[in-house]
Amino acid sequence: MDVLRRAWAGVCANRGAPGVDGVTVEAVAASGVEEFLQDLAERLRTHTYRPSALRRVVIPKPGRPGELRPLSIPTVADRVVMTAAKLVLEPVFEAQFTEASYGFRPKRSAIDACEAVRVAANQRQEWVFEADIRDCFGTIGHDALAAQVARRVTDRSMLKLIRAWLRMGVLEGGVSATTGAGTPQGSPISPLLANVALHVLDEAWQERGQRLGTLVRYCDDFVVLSPTRQRAELARDLAAEVLGGLGMRLHPEKSGIVCLTRGGQGFEFLGFHHRKVESWRWRGRFYLQRWPSTRALGVLRDKIRAATSRSRTERPVAAVVAELNPVLRGWVGYFRNGNSGRKFNAVDAYVHERLAIFASRKHGLRGRNWTTRYTYGWISRLGVFRLSGNVHWATAHASR
């Protein structure tokens, strides 16, 4: 019960939409949490618990017009049991995970992964194989994943529970369909199961890939930094071989090899654009820097444009600012760790421009009225959160 109570607290914090039964977190809280958890515990203890089908929804991918991401939403009861299983299983698998893995792990973050990339690139590993797994969560082989779980877990009840979650049907358009592969993207335990499956890649790197370069993996997003193009190509072949054993494939159009030497090429990883920049201190020396990618900037600009659109001019300007500030704070909280100064200045200018246009339309004025009305003093009095000056640190010798 103590594990289920902690799992319930996690599910409450995340909120989320209801599953196929239509039951929300608020409805469970209103009807009695303790009775709800007692019933779950009894069903687990007597082996009568059965997961419900997943509710399938499709959401647009940020920054990729026309591309959609399917999400599979479990019921609240299933989310509580999955979260409880994750609490129990995570320490078991953490004991074997390698230093190459950063995604969805305690005390490790995307910024740590980016820093590992920077260190490796500045140690003359300038050929980068950037990998993109085609539909990772939807193609993981069930048998291969169950075999990886069974290497560390011998409890038959837990193994049956995981297999039941992998076989959960998906309800879409009133029709239920079974899935022959994949782990449901949107469930609490999916990131852990993906890490368990992809740990095979980390192990292969320890055994056969260390001479090829440095692997940095954030769940299903990974790069390999190598000293030569030949080794980068061998790293690509090794990754394709290992992933093939799990039922996954590299995306041929989104995976490739780039050369960082003297700032020649850059690559996208975890929302940042990574590229070498010449040192202002020692001319002729280049160091890897990072700043928000074009796609990340595009997603933010879309949110700013939506909040300040012509169709919303009936709202007070102060209400628009109150909507924008949490978005800007969240964005700067992630991208402040890098060389984002110039990009932050550009975002501030764009926010100022959009708010000035919004206010002009609201009051029936032409133009932006920069010099006479909607000046820097005006934007400051509104209390708009400004990104400029919030870069946490700039790495050695160059800034951007």
Side-chain angles (χ1 to χ4, degrees):
M1 283 297 295
D2 58 337
V3 178
L4 286 175
R5 289 191 188 98
R6 185 175 169 188
W8 166 255
V11 171
C12 283
N14 291 332
R15 294 294 173 181
V20 293
D21 58 1
V23 176
T24 63
V25 171
E26 291 78 10
V28 173
S31 62
V33 174
E34 195 65 19
E35 293 79 3
F36 171 76
L37 297 180
Q38 288 283 1
D39 176 64
L40 267 184
E42 182 62 24
R43 285 193 281 154
L44 288 166
R45 196 176 295 114
T46 58
H47 305 288
T48 56
Y49 164 80
R50 299 291 182 273
S52 303
L54 299 160
R55 183 167 70 90
R56 175 63 57 83
V57 296
V58 179
I59 61 172
K61 288 187 177 181
R64 294 183 179 178
E67 293 191 36
L68 301 175
R69 173 182 287 122
L71 290 182
S72 303
I73 303 176
T75 63
V76 173
D78 289 338
R79 291 208 294 271
V80 171
V81 180
M82 288 176 176
T83 304
K86 177 178 177 290
L87 290 171
V88 174
L89 291 173
E90 191 171 60
V92 175
F93 289 104
E94 271 295 315
Q96 70 168 357
F97 287 159
T98 71
E99 292 297 311
S101 172
Y102 290 87
F104 305 104
R105 295 184 59 190
K107 299 182 180 180
R108 308 201 110 197
S109 68
I111 301 303
D112 295 330
C114 290
E115 181 63 8
V117 168
R118 186 186 71 85
V119 171
N122 288 341
Q123 293 174 344
R124 298 187 179 181
Q125 299 187 61
E126 297 185 327
W127 288 90
V128 181
F129 164 53
E130 48 178 340
D132 186 283
I133 302 176
R134 187 195 294 268
D135 189 18
C136 173
F137 283 88
T139 57
I140 298 175
H142 288 173
D143 292 337
L145 176 54
Q148 291 303 313
V149 174
R151 290 174 59 188
R152 299 285 296 184
V153 177
T154 58
D155 183 84
R156 292 184 62 191
S157 297
M158 180 63 78
L159 293 174
K160 287 182 178 180
L161 199 58
I162 291 173
R163 280 194 173 274
W165 287 330
L166 293 176
R167 293 195 300 264
M168 292 166 75
V170 176
L171 187 65
E172 188 173 12
V175 179
S176 181
T178 58
T179 56
T183 177
Q185 187 173 3
S187 70
I189 203 169
S190 287
L192 176 61
L193 293 179
N195 268 337
V196 170
L198 291 170
H199 176 66
V200 177
L201 178 64
D202 303 342
E203 285 185 317
W205 224 264
Q206 284 189 323
E207 296 170 4
R208 295 185 282 162
Q210 285 190 343
R211 66 180 183 83
L212 302 180
T214 301
L215 169 68
V216 179
R217 183 175 67 81
Y218 191 90
C219 200
D220 61 327
D221 198 359
F222 68 92
V223 294
V224 180
L225 295 98
S226 302
T228 66
R229 181 178 184 90
Q230 181 184 16
R231 293 190 188 185
E233 291 172 348
L234 291 173
R236 178 188 58 197
D237 296 341
L238 175 58
E241 175 191 337
V242 174
L243 293 173
L246 296 169
M248 292 182 280
R249 292 185 298 161
L250 293 171
H251 199 299
E253 297 176 2
K254 298 180 181 179
S255 301
I257 296 173
V258 300
C259 180
L260 302 176
T261 303
R262 301 185 69 83
Q265 292 176 290
F267 65 97
E268 315 290 323
F269 184 54
L270 301 179
F272 286 95
H273 180 77
H274 302 254
R275 185 184 291 269
K276 284 207 165 185
V277 176
E278 186 176 15
S279 169
W280 55 266
R281 182 178 300 174
W282 294 306
R283 294 300 176 186
R285 296 188 185 183
F286 287 76
Y287 296 87
L288 191 73
Q289 307 295 306
R290 64 176 182 267
W291 50 87
S293 67
T294 301
R295 180 185 169 194
L297 284 166
V299 172
L300 179 63
R301 288 170 70 93
D302 288 344
K303 292 180 179 179
I304 296 169
R305 192 181 300 113
T308 57
S309 67
R310 184 193 298 267
S311 62
R312 308 186 73 183
T313 52
E314 77 285 350
R315 304 177 67 211
V317 178
V320 175
V321 172
E323 179 183 340
L324 279 177
N325 278 349
V327 175
L328 298 173
R329 285 195 182 95
W331 202 79
V332 78
Y334 181 73
F335 288 106
R336 67 187 298 223
N337 297 286
N339 308 86
S340 307
R342 294 182 186 177
K343 301 300 182 184
F344 282 7
N345 292 340
V347 171
D348 283 342
Y350 185 69
V351 171
H352 189 170
E353 178 186 18
R354 290 297 306 179
L355 284 172
I357 293 172
F358 179 86
S360 293
R361 286 173 176 166
K362 182 176 181 64
H363 299 294
L365 302 174
R366 285 190 172 186
R368 292 164 174 76
N369 299 280
W370 299 106
T371 56
T372 58
R373 190 182 299 266
Y374 304 125
T375 61
Y376 178 80
W378 172 77
I379 204 91
S380 299
R381 288 191 297 273
L382 281 175
V384 178
F385 179 79
R386 297 188 66 80
L387 280 66
S388 301
N390 279 305
V391 176
H392 188 214
W393 49 265
T395 52
H397 314 300
S399 62
R400 185 171 286 261

